[in-house]
Amino acid sequence: MSIELRQVSKRFGSVSAVEDVSLTVADGELVALLGPSGGGKTTVLRMIAGLEVPTSGDLLVRGERVNDVPVQKRNIGFVFQSYALFKTMSVFDNVAFGLKIRNTPQAEIEARVDELLKLFGLDGLGRRLPHQLSGGQRQRVAIARALAPRPSVLLLDEPFGAVDAKIRQELREWLVRLHRELHVTTIFVTHDQEEAMEVSNRIVIFSRGRLEQIGSPREVYEEPKNEFVARFIGVLNVLELTVRGGAARLKELSFPTHGVPEGQTLRIGFRPYAVQISRNLQEYPHSAVIRHVYFLGVQLRLELETPSGLILRTRIVKDEFLRQGLEQGSSVSFQIREYRVLSTGANSLSPEVATVHWAANFAEGI
C-alpha cells in the first residue's frame, strides 16, 4: 500500500477534527476525499503531507510509520488551492524549485523541467511570470512543481476551486489523462460531488470528522451506507411514512413494508431517475403537475406536485420531454420504480447514523 491510516485521530484542543479514521490507498490510485466543510478531509490530507501531526493512531507511507517524519523527508508533493506560486519567479524556476533545493545538477533540472512543461501543455511559457498566465495554466504549473522531484504521492487540496466552471472541467479531464500517463498515487480533496465522481477511482466520504463510506463512484451513488451519503452524493427524494394496513403510507403514496410492524416510522429515499412520468394520465398509478422545469442541457430537472401537495424531483432527457409535449404546468402520471428504506423507528430523525438496510424494485401497486 502507498498510504495507510490506522485509527488516526486529530484534535485541536477540545475540538475533534478527525476521529478514528482507517483507510488505505494503493499504489497508483486516484482517490478523492469528499465531504462538507468541516468534515475532516483537509485535516487528513495535511496529516499525510506532514503539515499536521496525528493526536493518535498511525500513519504509514509505503509501509513506514511517518507520524514524526518531517514534511521534507516524506517525498510527497503537495498542491494548495491557492497555487502558492512564487510571484517573482518564472514558470521555469517555479517548476525547478524543488529540484534546486535538493542540489540536483543543472542539466538534470533543465531536462526535467522541459519534460514537465511539454507534458503539461506549458511549452514555450517557461520565461513567463505567474501573473502572465491564466488560472488553468497557473494550476498546471503548481502541479508540475509538485511532481518535479518525482514524489511517491501527490496531494491536491481543492485543486480546481479557484478557476471558473469551464476551466475546471478542462482541468478535471486533464488530471485524469495525466494520472493515466504518470500513474502517481494521487489524493485530492474536494467538496464537489460531481468532480469526485468524474475524476477518482475511489471516493472517501467524510462528515464531522468521521469516515462515512469508501467506494467507487458507482458504489457510493448506488449503494450508500447511510442517509448522509445517500443525500450528499447526488439528489435524493426523502419521504417519512408510517406503516398502516401492511404498507408504509404518506398521503396518496404507499410502499410495500415486508413485515415492518404497524405504526413503525420509515424514511424512504429514491433518486430522481427512479420517478418515471408520462403525459398519458392512465399509464402510471399516480398523478401530479409539473410545477417547475430546470434546463440542464441534455437533461431537464422537474419538480412534480401531487394533488396532496407532495413535491418530488425527477429528471428526463430533453428529447423525451419534447417528444411527450411536456411543459411547465402539464399534468402527468408517475410511478416510483425503485426506492430504499433509509431508516426506521428512533433512527428516522437521525440521518447521520441511519443505515440504508434494504432496497426494492416495483412498477405497480404503490
Side-chain angles (χ1 to χ4, degrees), residues 232-249:
F232 193 76
I233 299 291
V235 177
L236 190 73
N237 292 287
V238 177
L239 302 176
E240 188 160 307
L241 309 95
T242 303
V243 177
R244 299 193 310 272
R249 304 179 187 276

Side-chain angles (χ1 to χ4, degrees), residues 114-335:
D114 287 345
E115 174 192 2
L116 289 171
L117 293 182
K118 290 177 182 177
L119 178 63
F120 284 32
L122 299 168
D123 198 21
L125 303 179
R127 293 185 179 182
R128 292 193 185 183
L129 295 174
H131 75 270
Q132 297 173 311
L133 304 176
S134 69
Q137 288 171 334
R138 289 196 295 271
Q139 184 60 284
R140 282 182 277 162
V141 171
I143 297 175
R145 182 179 62 183
L147 287 173
R150 304 184 191 276
S152 60
V153 176
L154 177 64
L155 306 179
L156 308 172
D157 187 11
E158 299 278 4
F160 312 134
V163 295
D164 62 43
K166 183 177 185 299
I167 299 299
R168 187 160 57 246
Q169 181 61 46
E170 292 174 357
L171 285 172
R172 289 177 189 171
E173 296 170 1
W174 170 80
L175 179 61
V176 172
R177 292 194 301 270
L178 178 71
H179 181 262
R180 286 174 180 167
E181 184 162 345
L182 299 180
H183 210 59
V184 175
T185 304
T186 303
I187 305 173
F188 73 99
V189 161
T190 182
H191 63 271
D192 186 322
Q193 297 94 327
E194 181 178 317
E195 184 169 281
M197 299 275 284
E198 184 176 345
V199 172
S200 62
N201 305 132
R202 287 194 302 154
I203 300 175
V204 184
I205 301 173
F206 289 91
S207 172
R208 301 180 183 180
R210 294 185 176 276
L211 195 160
E212 298 286 349
Q213 186 170 351
I214 305 174
S216 69
R218 181 172 183 174
E219 286 170 343
V220 297
Y221 185 81
E222 296 185 349
E223 301 173 20
K225 288 191 174 180
N226 57 46
E227 186 171 341
F228 171 81
V229 175
R231 283 179 175 272
F232 193 76
I233 299 291
V235 177
L236 190 73
N237 292 287
V238 177
L239 302 176
E240 188 160 307
L241 309 95
T242 303
V243 177
R244 299 193 310 272
R249 304 179 187 276
L250 177 64
K251 299 182 178 180
E252 65 262 65
L253 299 183
S254 64
F255 297 78
T257 56
H258 301 278
V260 179
E262 287 287 305
Q264 179 76 65
T265 299
L266 297 180
R267 289 172 69 85
I268 285 177
F270 46 93
R271 300 290 188 190
Y273 67 75
V275 182
Q276 294 178 306
I277 66 170
S278 173
R279 190 64 184 266
N280 179 353
L281 300 183
Q282 306 303 314
E283 184 168 354
Y284 297 130
H286 296 294
S287 61
V289 173
I290 300 175
R291 288 303 185 200
H292 295 284
V293 178
Y294 300 93
F295 180 76
L296 303 175
V298 297
Q299 281 195 332
L300 302 174
R301 180 165 64 88
L302 311 181
E303 283 188 4
L304 309 180
E305 184 176 356
T306 71
S308 67
L310 288 175
I311 302 297
L312 306 176
R313 291 167 290 183
T314 185
R315 291 200 179 204
I316 187 171
V317 296
K318 182 179 66 174
D319 289 348
E320 179 65 14
F321 184 84
L322 295 175
R323 187 190 68 78
Q324 292 199 44
L326 297 170
E327 60 185 1
Q328 190 162 297
S330 294
S331 295
V332 297
S333 63
F334 74 91
Q335 70 172 359

Side-chain angles (χ1 to χ4, degrees), residues 62-76:
R62 295 191 176 278
E64 177 188 355
R65 186 179 184 275
V66 296
N67 290 43
D68 303 316
V69 175
V71 59
Q72 64 270 24
K73 293 185 178 181
R74 294 195 183 189
N75 193 30
I76 288 176

